[in-house]
Amino acid sequence: MVFTTTNLFRGIPCPEGARCALTNCIFAHDLRPAKQQPAAASGSQQTESTAPADTHDREPAAKRRRVAYDTLEDKPPSRADLIRTQLAKERSKPTTGKPEPAKTTPSSLTRTVSPPVKTTKSATSSQAAPANKTTPAVVTKPVASTAKLTLNPRIVPNDPAGHVKRTLYLKHLHAEMARLNQLVIDRSKSGPVQFKAGLMLDELELIQLALDEEEKLARGHSSVYGNVVKNRIAAYRKMVADDWIVNLKTTSLFTSKNAPPARAPGVPDPPKVIETGLSPREEVAVLAHLVIKDQLPLAKFGYIPTPPTAEQAAEAAAAVEASRNYEICDRCSSRFQVFPNRNEEGLLASNGPCRHHPNRKVFPQRTKADTGPKEPYYPCCNEVIGRPGCTESEHHVFKASSPARLAAVLPFVSTPENAQPARTSKGGRVGAVAFDCEMGHTTLGLELIRLTAVSWPLGEELVDVLVRPLGIVLDLNSRFSGVWPEDMAHAIPYDSFRTSATPTVTALPSDGAAPSTASRPALPIVETPQRARDLLCAFLTPLTPLIGHAIENDLNATRLCHPAVIDTIIAFPHPKGLPMRFGLKMLSARHLGRQIQQGGARGHDSLEDARATGDLARVKVGECWRGMRGRGWKFDGGGVLVEPEGGDRERGVVGLRKKRVNGVEGPGGGAAEEGGGGGLKAFLERGMGEGEGVGAATHKLSTAYLEDG
């Protein structure tokens, strides 16, 4: 049996000792030379060892064994040791005067080895050096992936035509895009139009655009990929520079190039800067196109276009008296009786305290994953509909909504003629007014308790007064109106407000439990709603645009019928139409990037709401002007709008399509919501004729649109 030589048992003596017959034994064998024996013994051994070889009982030949030494000095020098000794002797010889060649150190021993670049988020964020160190921080910027882009189709789950055909189609798409991009570059060099960077692409961006286009077709039209991509290539071949610009503005590449820089997580975005490209006077001229032309179709949604007659108001007052002032609570739907002048017990309303939910109910949206019931609930306490209210108030309240019933309390008036409208505090003329009102509950219904108006578009404060209602106050609705009892108590008359020092009132904390040390300026107060209405009408004429959000509520509280109104509810309509509507808080966050109504339990600020409403109108004016400018409208030197020759193409096939909300003709800027600026959308819908191609006449897009990013 043969064993593989190993070193595992070399320190263990072989159990068989000298009798071991293995060729390669894994144990140690002591082969040290035996001590010299006496002559007689040696002779006998020699005689035994020199016995005839042909004897049948001779022993097998001894195998070669490894020699072991007691110390290192006993071990003879190896060949390597001899070579080292010889080299040492050569180096120790004296030199002959000739310089020895300099020894060169390998470059691998001297070059610096840089550590690998850290790619984790925590590593990159900690590369900034502390302020007390002089070594500048080194931030490694990621290499753009576009640097590796080539005309190689991207991998899709189901390849519709194979790599070879897709590559061929991709090259054709890229070639046509490069041709159109060169037309734009040449036009920018030779013409007066100043194109933005997003309209002129470099080679890598063209490759990315072609890859995106081909991948979109391969993924979305795999069954008819060949036909779709061929039609797309043919469409690009027929395009001219203007067509290419319109198409490029719809791509994600153009959007990403013109997008604002990303902000750090947790940092809110700053409010958007409203840029209409117009002067204040020109904005007022465009605003006239947003005025609701006819308010009659909106009467069923609470608008009162014409004042009710005195006979109608008298009939409504008689009906209230006949019903003995019984009302339905607007908050808890309980039936109660109102005592306008208090009853014998000194009560203002019957049926005890009112338990209600202060917030409106929410209807949760169902998804495919929802299997159980989803009931509407109140967000104030998360209780489902039908549960007792979470808030208790002293009185029940009601709201009158019919025009005659409102007129029975305070008659309506139409905006009177005003030959000399009041000016702003800086002496400027008022082109338009944005206003907002706050209402509270009294024994006569929902009455005006604060009126705020600002000039438009500059937002200068015109009127901001508290109003003493006609009825006895049941609830100021402070949680939403922002008007508290101490505001009414510390207010000073409006006539003496400007001549006296502005006092302050103590503000309540967010929970309304007790007054805090924070204070804010006190507001003046007028004695009647009629006086507040007169202050507003001092800045108005029947043709002055009046801007508001859900403006019918503010006009009804003021008892004013104004023929020229702009309602942001109509300008930014809900997809489902009236009576569904978007809130001012949501519209402000979406279109202005501004968070309003953040006072919590302190309530709203009508001055803040009025300015936000006016800024929303400015956003709509900008959209409307882009559509009008694309159709040929322009301004003369005096800020007067000039209609294009032949009339506004709005009446034609390629004109601006006005939205209609529940049968009401909406603002003229509605085309911006339908996909762009007026005639441009119609240009896209028109397409190109069979004879139009590379050599066809260039579309005459306006310079303003070409320069607009």
Side-chain angles (χ1 to χ4, degrees):
M1 184 175 183
V2 179
F3 289 91
T4 303
T5 304
T6 64
N7 295 328
L8 298 177
F9 304 96
R10 66 178 181 177
I12 303 175
C14 181
E16 297 295 330
R19 297 191 303 274
C20 181
L22 298 177
T23 304
N24 294 313
C25 183
I26 62 176
F27 296 99
H29 289 269
D30 189 6
L31 298 181
R32 289 178 294 178
K35 297 181 180 181
Q36 293 184 356
Q37 299 293 333
S42 62
S44 62
Q45 289 179 0
Q46 183 179 2
T47 304
E48 184 176 350
S49 62
T50 57
D54 54 354
T55 58
H56 64 279
D57 56 349
R58 71 176 177 177
E59 295 291 335
K63 62 183 178 181
R64 185 178 180 181
R65 303 184 185 279
R66 187 177 63 177
V67 180
Y69 302 95
D70 293 336
T71 60
L72 292 177
E73 289 77 6
D74 297 339
K75 182 179 179 181
S78 62
R79 182 175 178 82
D81 295 335
L82 296 176
I83 293 175
R84 293 193 196 96
T85 304
Q86 185 178 0
L87 290 176
K89 291 179 180 179
E90 293 291 336
R91 294 172 183 171
S92 62
K93 291 181 179 181
T95 59
T96 58
K98 297 181 180 181
E100 294 183 0
K103 297 180 180 179
T104 59
T105 305
S107 60
S108 61
L109 298 179
T110 58
R111 68 184 181 186
T112 58
V113 180
S114 59
V117 179
K118 297 180 180 180
T119 58
T120 59
K121 183 176 180 181
S122 59
T124 55
S125 61
S126 62
Q127 288 185 3
N132 56 353
K133 293 187 178 181
T134 58
T135 304
V138 179
V139 181
T140 57
K141 295 182 179 180
V143 180
S145 59
T146 55
K148 300 180 181 180
L149 290 179
T150 58
L151 288 175
N152 188 23
R154 294 170 180 165
I155 299 176
V156 296
N158 297 318
D159 198 323
H163 184 271
V164 176
K165 285 188 177 181
R166 290 183 61 195
T167 304
L168 180 63
Y169 294 143
L170 178 61
K171 290 181 178 179
H172 283 293
L173 282 172
H174 176 265
E176 295 302 326
M177 291 179 178
R179 176 186 66 82
L180 294 168
N181 183 65
Q182 189 61 40
L183 291 178
V184 175
I185 295 175
D186 296 341
R187 186 173 176 182
S188 177
K189 293 179 180 179
S190 60
V193 180
Q194 299 297 325
F195 291 98
K196 285 196 174 182
L199 296 177
M200 294 182 290
L201 310 179
D202 56 24
E203 181 60 28
L204 291 178
E205 290 172 341
L206 284 172
I207 294 176
Q208 179 182 351
L209 192 62
L211 289 173
D212 293 342
E213 181 81 13
E214 193 277 336
E215 182 186 10
K216 181 180 178 181
L217 298 177
R219 289 179 178 272
H221 308 278
S222 58
S223 59
V224 289
Y225 168 77
N227 293 335
V228 173
V229 72
K230 290 176 184 177
N231 292 337
R232 194 59 182 159
I233 295 172
Y236 279 124
R237 287 179 179 175
K238 295 179 181 180
M239 282 187 184
V240 291
D242 287 357
D243 301 328
W244 169 250
I245 292 172
V246 175
N247 176 76
L248 185 60
K249 286 190 174 184
T250 62
T251 61
S252 58
L253 177 63
F254 177 83
T255 304
S256 61
K257 289 188 66 175
N258 291 274
R263 301 184 61 83
V267 178
D269 293 335
K272 299 178 181 178
V273 178
I274 305 174
E275 296 180 357
T276 61
L278 302 172
S279 65
R281 183 174 181 180
E282 292 172 344
E283 288 186 13
V284 174
V286 177
L287 183 69
H289 290 253
L290 301 182
V291 173
I292 300 175
K293 300 299 188 296
D294 186 11
Q295 300 181 29
L296 288 177
L298 293 173
K300 58 182 178 181
F301 300 111
Y303 287 77
I304 302 177
T306 57
T309 62
E311 293 76 10
Q312 293 173 335
E315 183 180 355
V320 172
E321 185 178 358
S323 66
R324 300 176 58 188
N325 292 99
Y326 273 96
E327 305 289 349
I328 300 297
C329 181
D330 192 49
R331 298 188 294 205
C332 67
S333 301
S334 298
R335 184 172 176 82
F336 70 104
Q337 187 178 13
V338 181
F339 307 114
N341 298 316
R342 297 184 182 271
N343 63 356
E344 295 80 1
E345 300 176 0
L347 299 178
L348 294 173
S350 64
N351 204 8
C354 174
R355 292 189 56 87
H356 64 281
H357 297 278
N359 293 347
R360 297 177 180 176
K361 54 187 175 183
V362 174
F363 295 88
Q365 296 182 354
R366 296 186 60 87
T367 61
K368 294 182 179 179
D370 296 331
T371 56
K374 258 196 171 182
E375 301 180 6
Y377 65 95
Y378 291 102
C380 50
C381 58
N382 294 327
E383 291 288 349
V384 297
I385 303 301
R387 300 286 295 178
C390 59
T391 303
E392 182 174 321
S393 299
E394 183 180 0
H395 302 104
H396 295 283
V397 296
F398 72 99
K399 174 184 177 182
S401 56
S402 67
R405 179 78 183 275
L406 294 173
V409 177
L410 178 65
F412 279 80
V413 298
S414 297
T415 305
E417 295 290 343
N418 191 356
Q420 294 182 345
R423 294 176 176 261
T424 65
S425 58
K426 298 180 180 180
R429 291 188 176 184
V430 178
V433 175
F435 91 119
D436 184 74
C437 296
E438 302 295 345
M439 282 74 77
H441 298 283
T442 71
T443 54
L444 298 179
L446 194 64
E447 290 196 68
L448 177 68
I449 58 174
R450 183 180 178 183
L451 186 145
T452 304
V454 297
S455 66
W456 190 93
L458 300 180
E460 299 180 41
E461 180 181 328
L462 301 177
V463 180
D464 191 9
V465 295
L466 297 176
V467 181
R468 199 175 302 280
L470 300 177
I472 302 176
V473 174
L474 295 175
D475 190 347
L476 287 175
N477 201 23
S478 303
R479 181 170 180 174
F480 299 101
S481 67
V483 179
W484 294 79
E486 63 270 18
D487 297 328
M488 306 290 286
H490 293 85
I492 62 176
Y494 177 80
D495 296 331
S496 59
F497 176 77
R498 298 183 182 276
T499 60
S500 62
T502 304
T504 58
V505 294
T506 303
L508 289 178
S510 59
D511 56 358
S516 65
T517 58
S519 60
R520 57 189 178 87
L523 294 174
I525 189 170
V526 293
E527 293 301 320
T528 61
Q530 296 94 321
R531 179 67 191 282
R533 183 175 60 193
D534 293 340
L535 293 176
L536 174 64
C537 291
F539 298 93
L540 300 178
T541 68
L543 299 180
T544 303
L546 188 60
I547 308 167
H549 180 80
I551 197 171
E552 78 281 3
N553 296 321
D554 303 319
L555 291 174
N556 294 347
T558 314
R559 304 300 197 271
L560 180 65
C561 297
H562 189 73
V565 297
I566 295 98
D567 195 342
T568 52
I569 292 294
I570 306 298
F572 300 93
H574 194 280
K576 296 183 179 180
L578 293 175
M580 302 297 295
R581 56 187 66 187
F582 291 122
L584 181 61
K585 183 177 181 180
M586 189 278 293
L587 290 177
S588 179
R590 174 183 295 181
H591 298 283
L592 305 178
R594 184 187 310 170
Q595 300 297 328
I596 63 172
Q597 300 177 359
Q598 301 295 313
R602 187 63 214 174
H604 299 176
D605 184 359
S606 58
L607 182 60
E608 178 186 53
D609 292 352
R611 285 174 173 157
T613 303
D615 289 341
L616 285 173
R618 290 193 64 205
V619 172
K620 202 63 184 179
V621 163
E623 296 177 358
C624 180
W625 169 240
R626 283 193 289 271
M628 296 173 64
R629 186 175 57 178
R631 303 195 313 276
W633 285 79
K634 59 183 179 181
F635 285 96
D636 62 3
V640 178
L641 268 175
V642 179
E643 191 175 5
E645 296 181 2
D648 192 350
R649 290 188 295 168
E650 172 178 327
R651 304 180 183 90
V653 178
V654 297
L656 176 66
R657 298 181 178 178
K658 293 188 177 181
K659 283 184 175 292
R660 296 184 66 85
V661 182
N662 298 91
V664 181
E665 189 174 280
E673 298 180 2
E674 295 191 12
L680 299 176
K681 182 176 184 297
F683 157 71
L684 290 175
E685 295 175 349
R686 180 181 51 147
M688 301 184 64
E690 294 294 335
E692 293 178 323
V694 176
T698 305
H699 295 296
K700 300 298 181 181
L701 292 182
S702 63
T703 302
Y705 176 76
L706 295 176
E707 293 180 353
D708 184 18

